[in-house]
């Protein structure tokens, strides 16, 4: 029985919540389901597979339009696997840039804590070097955060 899953069961099995499933249907990432007599949505194993694929794409940080392209690649034998690689490479570059920004932020926070421990820890709050640093215009150390 291919069309045996309710939206709740599909959500449970795919790790996706019902509002997200409805959203994916609304934007065309997931096909509109058949409906039972009472109007309840019914899904099959193909829907579960596609939804799982979409959820995994989103977990890897692919934006909706790239997910749409990946879904099309999954279903279109005329398109090249190289397109999937290129999308993944683009996403990897974005993740690597974010990691670099986070490392810079970590370095700045380590320095702020160290400066505080060396100069003012335990003193009055208004004299804290962290608070002074955060209050100075144009002193943003974190680039790209």
């Amino acid at each position: 029985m291919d069309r045996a899953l309710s939206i709740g069961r599909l959500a449970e099995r795919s790790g996706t919540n019902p509002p997200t499933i409805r959203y994916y249907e609304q934007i065309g990432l997931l096909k509109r389901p058949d409906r039972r007599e009472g109007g309840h949505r019914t899904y099959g194993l193909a829907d579960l597979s596609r939804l799982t694929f979409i959820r995994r794409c989103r977990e890897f940080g692919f934006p909706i339009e790239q997910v749409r392209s990946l879904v099309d690649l999954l279903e279109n034998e005329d398109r090249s696997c190289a397109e999937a690689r290129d999308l993944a490479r683009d996403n990897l570059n974005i993740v690597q840039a974010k990691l670099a920004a986070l490392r810079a932020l970590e370095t700045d926070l380590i320095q702020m804590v160290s400066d505080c421990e060396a100069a003012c820890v335990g003193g009055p709050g208004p004299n804290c070097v962290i608070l002074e640093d955060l209050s100075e215009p144009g002193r943003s150390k974190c680039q790209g955060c």
Side-chain angles (χ1 to χ4, degrees), residues 8 14 30-31 33 38 44 46 69-70 72 75 92 121-122 139:
S14 68
L30 194 61
K31 294 173 185 152
S69 292
L70 290 166
D72 188 56
E75 297 174 346
L92 174 61
V121 73
R139 292 249 356 234

Side-chain angles (χ1 to χ4, degrees), residues 95-110 145:
V95 168
Q96 288 172 330
K98 287 179 182 178
L99 284 171
L102 284 171
R103 284 188 203 100
L105 179 60
E106 176 188 37
T107 299
D108 290 346
L109 286 168
I110 288 169
C145 296

Side-chain angles (χ1 to χ4, degrees), residues 2 4 9 16 23-24 34 46 57 59 63 73 93 95 100 103 106-107 111 114 120 134:
D2 188 38
R9 186 80 173 119
T16 309
Y23 172 70
Y24 289 158
D34 292 335
C57 287
E59 285 175 354
L73 278 163
N93 291 336
V95 168
R103 284 188 203 100
E106 176 188 37
T107 299
Q111 186 62 52
S114 176
C120 61
L134 292 172

Side-chain angles (χ1 to χ4, degrees), residues 60-63 66 86-96:
F60 275 92
F62 290 102
Q66 286 185 346
D86 292 347
L87 288 171
R89 184 180 291 144
D90 291 346
N91 199 40
L92 174 61
N93 291 336
I94 290 168
V95 168
Q96 288 172 330

Side-chain angles (χ1 to χ4, degrees), residues 27-47:
I27 65 170
L29 273 179
L30 194 61
K31 294 173 185 152
R32 298 239 180 229
D34 292 335
R35 300 241 180 199
R36 292 186 183 151
E37 277 186 33
H40 296 281
R41 293 170 164 89
T42 57
Y43 301 89
L45 296 179
D47 299 312

